[in-house]
Amino acid sequence: MTASISSFAKDQTIRLADVRKSYGDYDVLKGIDATVARGEVVVICGPSGSGKSTLIRTVNRLEEINSGSIFFEGQDVHAQMSGRELNRLRSRIGFVFQSFNLFPHLSAVDNVAMSPIRVKGVAPAEAHEKALKLLDRVGLREKANSYPGQLSGGQQQRVAIARALAMEPPVMLFDEPTSALDPEMVGEVLNVMKSLAAEGMTMMCVTHEMGFARDVADRIWFIDAGQIIETATPEEFFKNPRHPRAQRFLADLRH
Amino acid sequence: MIHDLIAIIDEYWLLLLIGQYPNGPLGGLANTLILSALSIVLAFPFAILLAFGRLSKYRVLRWPVTVLVYVTRGVPLLMLVLWSYFLVPLLTGADVPSFLTMLTTLVVYQGAFLSEIIRAGIVALGQGQMDAARALGHSYFSAMRYVILPQALYNMIPSMLSTFVATIKDTTLGYVINVPDLTFAASQVNNQLLTQPFQVFLILALTYYVICWSLTWLTNVVERRITRRRAGLIAPKRRGQFQTSLTPNATEQP
Ligand SMILES: Nc1ncnc2c1ncn2[C@@H]1O[C@H](COP(=O)(O)OP(=O)(O)OP(=O)(O)O)[C@@H](O)[C@H]1O
Ligand SMILES: [Mg+2]
């Protein structure tokens, strides 16, 4: 543990070292090496089935890995640790799902306030007050008492972002947060993500929203068949993608 | 005919209602309802434990529980009743009252059935809810307690009500080990009258029918409400703003 803290620079929030994972014979991640610096916004893109979801889910250990290591603020995420330690670690990594996964039996404000109360032991009144502020921040103060079933997809995803933020994580992971949305709702979710980035949140986003990548990303990781085959700034990536696969991917997206 | 029925009820209503009580043990309809209610109340937490066992990633838990559930579900209830009646005193050496024997058997039997309903309810929620809770830092049991079970159990209220109806009918089997319930009382009445078995057992059947029919009717009402609520047409009732779903135990009442 001590080695892991000292051997990596402090400003590396996330560091992946030779991360490999397979399902049976099938290698999904074939040696991922990458870092995310504090305050950096990384957009991960690549063809369907290339391992993007798997990759991002290994960062908070929703998926186990076969070898390699992942460090979050110097802590080895996949090391042997107690359930408690892992829960504490996970609570510090915000995660937003493609399918929102709001808790349908709880109102919007309870969705946001529940985990601070139950996981962190925050007093209910305080947690609710904070939840209302977070809902306000994603533009849904007036929907506080609505249930997920009564909200549109875009509204649900914004509540899901507020729910993740309620744990005050230093980093947020997004797995295709707008892919399940009707086109007219994509913008409202991206705007929330943009404002987060503007406030300096460290973010890893799997997304095919190239407009978002161009405007907000500091770096783009292009992943194909379980490997990061290109990392570049958005300007480089869009103007001049080096790898033929990336060129084809961008060409396909434009059509 | 109607006259006979009324005469029997007029004469024996107290026996049918509470058995020999207070001169003997409580029996009759009261005992039937108490036995049913107790079995379902105890079978419910037992079923949750069994469901956890069935879903566990640990084989030492999963396998024995699976065997228990399968055996229990694959054997007629009457066999289980007779087994417990003859085996439990042999094994424990204690003289277990028939009411307790019947209660235990019903709890195990209904618990096995309910556990499969609960398991299906949990599985039906999908992995997403568990993932979301774990990503927020909830432990497995915290996720179960605050996220999975409130939804799974709520969705299962109709199934649980039907299990309750089944339990009421199942209590009649207690007759074979002399549990003093409604059926037992009716047969006592029959033994006293000797000449009117049809009338006596018609009263018995009608009583069971009315109780079970009302509960089935209630089940349908609840089921319709739940369907409408799932469709987002009505919001759940709330006691006070923000508080309901977060007060301890508010979500756990079946
Ligand atoms: N539980 C699993 N068991 C077996 N194979 C799996 C499992 N989960 C994912 N895979 C496979 O791993 C590969 C990578 O999946 P992953 O979901 O990470 O891709 P992705 O890049 O996120 O794709 P998409 O753009 O469609 O979301 C796919 O080929 C998928 O079929
Ligand atoms: Mg994916």
Side-chain angles (χ1 to χ4, degrees), chain A residues 112 131-142 154-163 165 188-189 191-193 195-196:
Chain A
V112 179
L132 289 176
K133 280 194 189 128
L134 283 167
L135 286 175
D136 195 32
R137 173 167 173 189
V138 299
L140 290 170
R141 174 66 184 80
E142 76 285 5
Q155 291 170 332
Q156 288 189 56
Q157 193 60 297
R158 286 187 279 153
V159 174
I161 294 174
R163 178 178 70 175
L165 290 175
E188 63 194 61
V189 172
N191 283 338
V192 171
M193 292 169 64
S195 76
L196 269 180

Side-chain angles (χ1 to χ4, degrees), chain A residues 48-49 51-54 98 175-176 206:
Chain A
S48 181
K52 305 179 298 292
S53 298
T54 308
Q98 177 174 355
D175 186 8
E176 305 211 32
V206 175

Side-chain angles (χ1 to χ4, degrees), chain B residues 20-33:
Chain B
Q20 306 285 351
Y21 192 81
N23 303 319
L26 182 67
L29 179 60
N31 213 26
T32 290
L33 292 179

Side-chain angles (χ1 to χ4, degrees), chain B residues 13-22 24-31 180 185:
Chain B
W13 65 274
L14 199 60
L15 179 68
L16 292 171
L17 203 61
I18 59 172
Q20 306 285 351
Y21 192 81
L26 182 67
L29 179 60
N31 213 26

Side-chain angles (χ1 to χ4, degrees), chain A residues 102 105 110 115 118 147, chain B residues 129 138 146 238 241 245-246:
Chain A
L102 285 185
H105 61 303
D110 282 341
S115 299
R118 299 301 178 193
Y147 281 76
Chain B
Q129 292 287 306
H138 289 267
Y146 298 112
R238 312 175 59 86
Q241 245 196 347
S245 47
L246 291 172

